[in-house]
Structures are given as C-alpha cells and as structure tokens.
Amino acid sequence: MPRITSARVIVTCPGRNFVTLKIETDQGVYGVGDATLNGRELAVASYLEDHVIPCLIGRDAHRIEDIWQYLYKGAYWRRGPVTMSAIAAVDMALWDIKGKVAGLPVYQLLGGAAREGCMVYGHANGSDVEETIERAHEYLEQGYKAVRLQSGVPGLAATYGVSGERFYYEPAKGSLPEETLWSTSKYMRHVPELFERGREALGWDIHLLHDVHHRLTPIEAGRLGKDLEPYRLFWLEDATPAENQAGFRLIRQHTTTPLAVGEIFNSVWDAKQLIEEQLIDYIRATVVHAGGITHLRRIAGLADLYQVRTGCHGATDLSPVSMAAALNFGLSVPNFGIQEYMRHSAETDEVFPHAYSLSNGLMHPGDKPGLGVDIDEALAAKYAYKRAYLPVNRLEDGTMFNW
Ligand code: EZ4
Ligand code: CO
C-alpha cells in the first residue's frame, strides 16, 4: 500500500496561470491533480498548502473514497469552488497514483472504455459572422464533429467568447478586471442570424453549439431557444444564471432547444433539481471544480437516471491534467455526451506532457498507466505567477451585470 510522504503545490504561468498538486508516496509513485480556479488561483493554493496537505501525510493513497469524505465532511464548511477544487486536485492525484500502481490507465479502473473516443467540440470565434464561419470551416477540415459558434455583436465593443487570437480564447488578463458593456436586445437580434448563416455555410452534418454565458433571464432564454429551433443546436449553454434551478422550468416550457448548464457548479447539489426535473439535457460540471473524478461520477450517476448526458467544461483554464482526467472519465461513463476542448498553447503543452490525442473529432486519453499526464517542474519554475482577472460586465447604463 503506497503511503503519502509529501505533497506540494506548483504554481506556474506558461501563457496563463495553473495550480497543480503533486502527491508523492513511499513507493516512488507520484500523482498529479489540477487545482486551477481562474482568477482566484492562490486561494486554492493556500487552501491546499495551509490546510489540506498537513492532513494527507502518512495516509494510504489507495483509500480515495475515504480521503474524499475526510476532506469534504472533515472541513465542516462544505462545498464552494475553492474547497471543491482543492478536493478535486487531491482526488485526481490519487486516481493517478492508483492507476500507476495497477499499471492501468484510469479509465480501466472506472470500468473500461464505453466508446471508441470522446467527441469534442472546438471554439469558432470571430469579430463578425463571416469570420466565425471561416474559423468553423477550419474545424470541419480538421475532422471535428462539433463546433461552438460565438461572434461579435453589432453595436457592442466586446463580448464573451470573442478575441483576436485565432484558436485560443483567453478571457483572464490584466492586473485589474477589464470592464465590458452588454446589451441583451442587441445580442438577441444577432444570434439567430449567426446560426441561420452558419447552417447555410456549414450544412447539417456538424453539431453546432452556443454559449449564452449566463446573460439572459429565463423568459428571454425561452425566446432565444425558440428563435434558434430551426437551426437544431446541439445545445444552448448557460442560458440563464443557475443559482435558482427552478428558473429553468420557464425556459423548458418555451423551447425544445437542448440546454446545457453547470461549468461553475461544484457539487451535485447545484444540479439536483435541474437533473431530477429533467430541466437540462447536458451537465457541464467538471472534474476540477466539482470535487474530482470521485464526485463527478456521482453527478453523472444521478444524471444517467434522468437521461441527462455529460458535457464537461474544458476551457484553457482547465489544465492538461484536468483534460486527461476528463477524458479518462468521459471514455468510461455510460452517459457521456460531449467534451469541450479548447487547445492549450504550445508553452502549456510543454509544461504538461500528456498521452491524450485527437483524431477525427474524437479524443482518447491514451494508455499510459494513471491519468497519462505529467508536469515538467523545472520548466514550470521558469514561468512565474501573474495575477489575472476575468472581465466584469455592465449594462450600457452602468449597472453591474453577469459576465
Ligand atoms: O468563461 O472557462 O464554455 N466555456 C466557458 C469558458 C469560461 C472560462 C472561465 O474561466 O464559458 O470560456
Ligand atoms: Co461556458
């Protein structure tokens, strides 16, 4: 049985910030876990260093469930993104260790492959509809089966999901939060046109997705979903903020456009009503922010009872360690739906060597024992942490709004 002898937090910024936990054992086997919480990274680093690591030393690394329960129940203060990202990092690292000791990739420990690979969707972003469609074509040429369309909105200087970069969308920047302005009516007029022209140009053999990023009320979301019905979206994401889960009833009454929600969820309790009332079609809770593989399996298990499928968050602020864990999870879970995949920069990929690969729109975690991902600590040490914030959003009259 491998005993935990030490653990440390590695903060690095190869183009963007990442927090990684490395757990070492007396058998020479170590594991890695992602603990990155975009814009609030150091809170999780401190939670791990100051409060979690001292409790890990000497424990049996194989007792994943017991350690999960110890950290969740033992903190007394349950849930929340900081706590659950810290627990997730420990959980990922322990699954990595178990796989390495067993000589098996983690998906084999989770029941084995339930499919050939995980369908992923890429991000097509453009300052206008034409540019977005041009980018989408590039994904089609690369064999992607699904693509998310976001474009600049006429009359708005900036909006969520659009940047100058060709394949990377990186919203966290600046030593203070950037401020953007939002108009729901301008957005609502524009999106149906994006998808009308998108279908015309891209055809019907590709899944199209869209992220509202929490910016509509339930009745506005119902209207947008209805307007988008002719274009048969794979999903409409985060149509409205989900603190009030019952709010989704109103959207459901008005549209058959499939709904996805949950990238900011950190526990099954955030999604319980959404799932049990079948108010959503895809649950986006992700391995790093929702308590690791152990807890994500529990969420997926509940979702499966109600024909809700997984659609895990996979933006660039989730490190390659999270991506590896998500693919091991996604390959094995019965109700897998789709996995978001935003490519990391070459610098990031170099710091985190990994076994996962993409072919014909499907990703596979690879067959290395454990998660199939590592961290090059010497290289990581060359990139010092840089404070970065997600933007904040206001209405045109200055009212604080959702970003
Ligand atoms: O804004 O990960 O669907 N993807 C997203 C992301 C999130 C970022 C926040 O850190 O909504 O782009
Ligand atoms: Co999103």
Side-chain angles (χ1 to χ4, degrees), residues 9-20 35-46 172-176 379-390:
V9 175
I10 303 153
V11 180
T12 181
C13 186
R16 65 158 352 283
N17 293 314
F18 294 109
V19 178
T20 308
T36 309
L37 183 62
N38 207 6
R40 294 293 186 271
E41 297 86 1
L42 299 185
V44 188
S46 159
K173 47 183 176 269
S175 57
L176 283 173
L379 194 56
K382 293 188 181 156
Y383 299 105
Y385 171 77
K386 275 195 216 118
R387 190 172 67 202
Y389 287 98
L390 288 169

Side-chain angles (χ1 to χ4, degrees), residues 206-327:
I206 179 94
H207 295 303
L208 297 181
L209 297 80
H210 182 69
D211 191 349
V212 179
H213 222 260
H214 326 270
R215 292 171 183 202
L216 300 177
T217 64
I219 198 68
E220 289 164 351
R223 155 66 64 198
L224 183 65
K226 200 187 260 189
D227 288 348
L228 292 174
E229 279 172 19
Y231 315 114
R232 298 286 193 272
L233 266 61
F234 184 90
W235 79 33
L236 188 66
E237 177 188 336
D238 286 337
T240 196
E243 285 98 328
N244 175 19
Q245 298 180 44
F248 278 74
R249 288 177 182 156
L250 196 55
I251 310 177
R252 265 307 204 219
Q253 284 160 16
H254 291 282
T255 182
T256 56
T257 292
L259 302 174
V261 74
E263 70 183 32
I264 67 168
F265 290 177
N266 48 69
S267 138
V268 68
W269 298 101
D270 293 329
K272 184 172 177 288
Q273 186 179 8
L274 289 169
I275 292 171
E276 287 177 345
E277 291 189 25
Q278 296 185 277
L279 301 177
I280 56 171
D281 302 282
Y282 296 92
I283 177 71
R284 283 186 46 72
T286 187
V287 65
V288 55
H289 301 131
I293 292 172
T294 297
H295 194 66
L296 202 55
R297 287 177 92 197
R298 210 151 271 145
I299 296 175
L302 179 68
D304 194 29
L305 301 180
Y306 299 94
Q307 299 185 51
V308 174
R309 289 185 283 167
T310 65
C312 298
H313 187 204
T316 36
D317 48 296
L318 282 70
S319 90
V321 177
S322 272
M323 198 61 208
L327 292 171

